[in-house]
Amino acid sequence: MLNHLKHQGDVPQNMSLALAALIRFYQGSWRGQNILLRDHPKYLESFKTWWDKGDLSATGLTELLADESLWGASLAEIPNLASCLSQQLRQIEAGELESVLKTLSD
């Protein structure tokens, strides 16, 4: 992602969608079905705390992206990543995942 950003000057849409899907996965349910999450309790708690706030805005995502214990570094420093993820998460939540995937693969 950082290499793409350095050379292209923008957030790679496929990678950011994959990250948005990962973040969405850690909500713990999909289309009314619970997902059994198996991960380090610290990570699960970080995502749960964030999801409990329900803030899908770029500002809310910046807080999650800044959590170095999750990512190994602060992803909040990547320009436009939070706003891109916010838009993609909102599309996923609105049930538009398949159309987003189709758009990116065309």
Side-chain angles (χ1 to χ4, degrees), residues 2-106:
L2 295 176
N3 193 37
H4 178 93
L5 182 65
K6 179 180 176 182
H7 295 289
Q8 302 296 323
D10 62 354
V11 174
Q13 295 297 303
N14 290 343
M15 281 187 172
S16 63
L17 181 60
L19 183 55
L22 176 73
I23 293 168
R24 177 58 182 82
F25 173 80
Y26 275 96
Q27 187 182 36
S29 65
W30 178 248
R31 296 183 175 165
Q33 300 292 316
N34 287 333
I35 299 169
L36 179 60
L37 300 174
R38 295 183 183 161
D39 209 330
H40 193 285
K42 178 172 96 173
Y43 304 145
L44 296 175
E45 185 58 33
S46 291
F47 280 106
K48 180 182 181 326
T49 298
W50 185 80
W51 273 109
D52 285 349
K53 293 177 185 176
D55 186 0
L56 297 181
S57 72
T59 302
L61 277 155
T62 297
E63 179 183 334
L64 183 68
L65 294 172
D67 188 341
E68 293 182 22
S69 70
L70 288 174
W71 316 113
S74 174
L75 301 183
E77 306 303 318
I78 299 174
N80 301 316
L81 180 59
S83 60
C84 184
L85 288 172
S86 176
Q87 178 185 4
Q88 290 173 327
L89 277 169
R90 290 174 194 276
Q91 289 174 306
I92 292 170
E93 289 296 286
E96 300 171 7
L97 178 58
E98 287 80 7
S99 64
V100 172
L101 288 169
K102 184 172 178 358
T103 301
L104 290 177
S105 64
D106 287 343

